[in-house]
Amino acid sequence: MTTAPRRRRMRQSGALRLLDRLEREPRADTLIDLLGRGVRALPLGRGRDALHGTWLGHPLHPPMVQLPIGSWLSAAVLDMRPGRSREAGLLVGVGLAAAAPAALAGAVDWAELHRQQQRVGLVHASANIAAVGLYTASLVSRLRGRTGSGRLYGFLGLAAVGAGGVLGGHLAYRQASGANHAEDVPHLVTQGWHRIGRLDTFPAGELVRRTVDDVPVVVVREDDGAIHALAERCSHLAGPLAEGTLADGCVRCPWHGSEFRLSDGWNVHGPATAPQPVFDTRISDGQVEIRLRQGHGNGHGPRHGASASAPVRDVPAAGDGGRRGTG
């Protein structure tokens, strides 16, 4: 006699339940709105994109926090050895000096997140502010010769940093706050040319949404007949570019204002730190066809097992470099 297999019951941990509840908690939303407006109003100019990490290709905040965290962790190691309080105090000071620019980079990112992410981010920032306060007290105590108090404040500060790190990890990996939300496009779109509609269905100067292999694509036909196509979901937080605006050869995301160049998908303004996957275009028998462009920031080739479509007679349009496509 056989018995039905037992179903394994997976239980959510208490910590994860707490974090999920935090994402849904609206009581701090008024404060979030106030702080977000304040951060966005800072006169940072081009420095804002630099703090977002547009030049680096991913958010700048995570690598910046390595210096204060590393300094404070090293200080804790020294504090466990007799007679090393002076060196530990120096490391505490280095960590405090490095915390301010790291916090600024994190703040400009936080101000451009979804509300659920901002709720977690506010607590993440609060834990780190508490850590800075504790490490400041640690440094002051050490300078006054109160070594025991300095060590105690330092260990408490490290605990606060650890709590903030857990929340930061939740933001980055569970909520994908700094991830490239267009990274999967090259893995989903098959090789070769894809027909997306007749030329007369793309009015000049308008953003038109189409799909290829269930991947949304935004298509723009310029007044001179040039046609551009980009992945439609913004790499920052998957905003709908087809609902955005056109200006100076770029499309602007309606959610957080990231701007992408139509010709190559490059992120000319943040908060997006990754370019949009871009498609070559051509016209065949009055039909617009597109093909995922290899390289040029797309990151990866098409998914394994994809096969190219059969060649078709075509007249190249913008993005095809003046060459006839081969399919």
Side-chain angles (χ1 to χ4, degrees):
M1 179 178 179
T2 60
T3 58
R6 291 187 302 173
R7 294 181 179 178
R8 182 177 298 176
R9 298 180 61 184
M10 301 294 291
R11 294 185 178 181
Q12 190 180 42
S13 68
L16 188 54
R17 284 198 300 271
L18 181 62
L19 290 170
D20 286 345
R21 191 178 305 125
L22 177 60
E23 295 177 14
R24 301 189 298 270
E25 176 54 61
R27 282 182 287 186
D29 285 358
T30 301
L31 176 61
I32 288 172
D33 288 335
L34 179 64
L35 293 175
R37 286 194 297 269
V39 173
R40 288 190 291 273
L42 291 175
L44 298 174
R46 294 183 179 180
R48 189 176 298 274
D49 279 352
L51 288 168
H52 280 308
T54 56
W55 58 276
L56 186 61
H58 60 75
L60 184 60
H61 176 66
M64 289 188 73
V65 301
Q66 303 309 308
L67 181 54
I69 292 176
S71 297
W72 291 335
L73 181 59
S74 299
V77 173
L78 291 178
D79 272 336
M80 290 187 290
R81 298 186 60 189
R84 305 303 296 269
S85 181
R86 183 175 179 179
E87 292 87 347
L90 176 62
L91 288 169
V92 168
V94 169
L96 287 171
L104 181 59
V108 297
D109 287 342
W110 172 83
E112 308 295 347
L113 296 178
H114 293 315
R115 181 49 50 91
Q116 292 82 359
Q117 296 165 330
Q118 288 181 321
R119 290 167 179 164
V120 176
L122 181 63
V123 182
H124 166 71
S126 299
N128 289 330
I129 290 171
V132 168
L134 289 165
Y135 274 112
T136 300
S138 174
L139 184 60
V140 170
S141 295
R142 294 169 195 272
L143 292 175
R144 293 178 176 177
R146 302 174 186 169
T147 303
S149 296
R151 294 171 63 193
L152 176 60
Y153 282 127
F155 289 130
L156 291 174
L158 188 61
V161 167
V166 170
L167 291 163
H170 187 82
L171 269 167
Y173 299 109
R174 177 85 171 189
Q175 295 184 299
S177 62
N180 174 9
H181 287 257
E183 193 277 337
D184 61 339
V185 171
H187 303 285
L188 299 175
V189 176
T190 53
Q191 295 182 35
W193 293 97
H194 301 265
R195 187 162 289 188
I196 57 173
R198 292 195 58 81
L199 180 62
D200 56 15
T201 62
F202 297 93
E206 294 187 17
L207 294 160
V208 179
R209 187 180 186 274
R210 291 288 187 266
T211 58
V212 173
D213 290 333
D214 295 324
V215 173
V217 177
V218 60
V219 184
V220 178
R221 179 184 178 188
E222 298 194 77
D223 293 334
D224 62 1
I227 299 177
H228 306 285
L230 304 177
E232 195 262 346
R233 290 298 179 180
C234 177
S235 66
H236 175 228
L237 285 176
L241 294 183
E243 299 176 17
T245 55
L246 291 169
D248 300 324
C250 297
V251 56
R252 189 174 192 269
C253 180
W255 284 3
H256 304 103
S258 297
E259 294 184 18
F260 303 93
R261 197 161 51 208
L262 292 171
S263 60
D264 58 7
W266 193 251
N267 49 312
V268 298
H269 289 298
T273 59
Q276 289 297 110
V278 63
F279 293 78
D280 292 323
T281 65
R282 72 182 184 184
I283 302 170
S284 174
D285 298 328
Q287 296 279 344
V288 177
E289 297 182 342
I290 63 175
R291 171 179 68 181
L292 186 68
R293 186 177 301 174
Q294 300 301 302
H296 300 285
N298 281 341
H300 303 280
R303 65 187 181 189
H304 295 294
S307 59
S309 61
V312 296
R313 182 172 55 84
D314 66 273
V315 178
D320 206 17
R323 299 183 301 272
R324 300 182 65 86
T326 62

